[in-house]
């Protein structure tokens, strides 16, 4: 299982977006998106709804880990996430896990909160085990104001 690890061929857009908040060059690679989100010196201070986002992200990884044979890297990842401040071990309780197909995210940039939602798509079917491990996470602006500010922030305003 490759529990939401960032590919070594990290997408250009994610580091570019995150670089609007933190110095990505100062982060050692390979970068893991979960560590960036949970780290108090990473993106965490910029996440407006961090407790909700952290719980949702942790539950997603945990839910994936119990739905198949868990490997050592996933066990290590869960333990590392639990070691961050304010991460609660009860998030591993399957009874308490709620399921949403998307995770709402709010990022604080200056005096604004930019609202997004994140979706993970799993490629493949149960018959194609190799493809089933491929997950694509996409983040979309949740409202028009965020879409406009996001385009400006990323330097794409007015570009098709």
């Amino acid at each position: 299982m490759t529990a939401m690890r960032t590919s070594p061929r990290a997408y250009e857009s994610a580091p570019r977006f995150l670089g609007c908040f933190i110095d990505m060059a100062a982060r050692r690679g390979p970068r893991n998106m979960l560590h960036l989100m949970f780290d108090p010196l990473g993106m965490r201070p910029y996440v407006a709804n961090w407790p909700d986002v952290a719980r949702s992200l942790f539950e997603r990884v945990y839910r994936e880990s119990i739905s198949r044979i868990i490997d050592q890297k996933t066990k290590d990842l869960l333990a590392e996430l639990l070691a961050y401040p304010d991460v609660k071990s009860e998030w591993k309780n399957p009874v308490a896990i709620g399921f949403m197909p998307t995770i709402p995210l709010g990022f604080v940039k200056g005096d604004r909160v930019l609202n997004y939602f994140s979706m993970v798509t799993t490629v493949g079917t149960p018959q194609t085990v190799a493809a089933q491990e491929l997950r694509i996470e996409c983040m979309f602006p949740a409202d028009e104001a965020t879409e406009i500010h996001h385009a400006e922030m990323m330097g794409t305003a007015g570009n098709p």
Side-chain angles (χ1 to χ4, degrees):
M1 180 175 162
T2 56
M4 295 177 28
R5 292 185 200 107
T6 303
S7 165
R9 298 172 298 172
Y11 337 108
E12 290 181 31
S13 59
R16 212 169 128 214
F17 173 76
L18 298 172
C20 293
F21 299 90
I22 62 175
D23 180 6
M24 290 297 289
R27 307 296 294 196
R28 285 188 285 148
R31 296 178 196 111
N32 178 295
M33 187 63 69
L34 289 167
H35 283 291
L36 287 172
M37 295 296 287
F38 280 71
D39 187 347
L41 301 175
M43 287 299 293
R44 182 174 172 170
Y46 301 98
V47 180
N49 52 338
W50 188 83
D52 296 330
V53 169
R55 181 181 182 127
S56 294
L57 290 172
F58 187 89
E59 287 176 351
R60 182 192 297 167
V61 175
Y62 185 73
R63 197 170 37 252
E64 287 182 7
S65 76
I66 61 173
S67 68
R68 58 184 60 160
I69 298 172
I70 187 168
D71 64 12
Q72 190 59 45
K73 286 184 179 182
T74 304
K75 286 180 186 177
D76 293 346
L77 177 62
L78 288 166
E80 290 164 2
L81 296 178
L82 279 170
Y84 283 107
D86 302 319
V87 176
K88 304 190 181 344
S89 61
E90 62 262 22
W91 292 353
K92 291 188 339 181
N93 181 357
V95 175
I97 293 176
F99 177 73
M100 287 183 55
T102 63
I103 294 177
L105 298 143
F107 292 100
V108 177
K109 179 72 174 163
D111 61 350
R112 302 177 184 218
V113 175
L114 305 172
N115 298 302
Y116 297 88
F117 65 92
S118 170
M119 279 181 46
V120 174
T121 302
T122 302
V123 178
T125 64
Q127 292 82 22
T128 56
V129 175
Q132 191 175 6
E133 293 298 316
L134 177 61
R135 288 175 180 74
I136 301 168
E137 182 162 7
C138 298
M139 192 171 66
F140 302 95
D143 54 54
E144 188 174 347
T146 297
E147 187 170 1
I148 291 167
H149 190 71
H150 178 88
E152 292 168 355
M153 185 174 72
M154 298 300 289
T156 59
N159 293 335

